[in-house]
Amino acid sequence: MKEILKLVGVLTAICLVCTALLAAVYKKTEGPIAAAGLLKAAQAAKDVMPAGTAEPERVELPAPDGGAPLVFFVSRRDGAVQAVALEGRSARGYGGDVVLMVGLADGKLANFKVIKQNETPGLGNKIAKDLFRLPLLGRALAGTKWTVKKDGGDIDAITAATISSRAALEAIRDAIARYDAHRDQLK
């Protein structure tokens, strides 16, 4: 019995030391990881803005539900909004969440870039390829049915990757809806 208590004590001490080390490493790296995420988002926003637009500024608006603030990247010229970039999300990807940085300008989809996805390599991850992306660029935000043709929309799905196509389009719809809801606040 004494030996079992000794082993439990040693194991507990090891677990406490490992937990303390993990907590210290987390605390030390939390700031740099967050800063790197902000830089990555800012770069993605620049990438989806139309050529010739001014450097986008980060604008945070309070979330309607009191959660994390909504982040927009707004490019202005002479005080007027030229273009806006924001993240669009879908939880319905084949491999989980799909997150896109979506650029909007002049009432059209300027560009988008995949930020996060775990879709099937060589198939579902084609949502990041030009074959899927280029036909979407320049489409009107208001007049386009941002769903796949199979669901009555205007967009051709990637062959054998309809779920991934749906998720990418849902992320674009999400970004458009949040932009429409906060358009006046961004002016």
Side-chain angles (χ1 to χ4, degrees), residues 139 144-156 169:
R139 288 183 183 245
T144 303
K145 292 180 185 174
W146 293 99
T147 54
V148 296
K149 286 184 178 176
K150 192 176 204 177
D151 298 336
D154 294 335
I155 312 299
D156 287 321
L169 293 170

Side-chain angles (χ1 to χ4, degrees), residues 118-136:
N118 291 314
E119 302 304 279
T120 308
L123 194 57
N125 70 355
K126 288 183 181 177
I127 59 174
K129 306 290 184 201
D130 285 348
L131 185 65
F132 180 71
R133 189 179 60 81
L134 290 178
L136 302 179

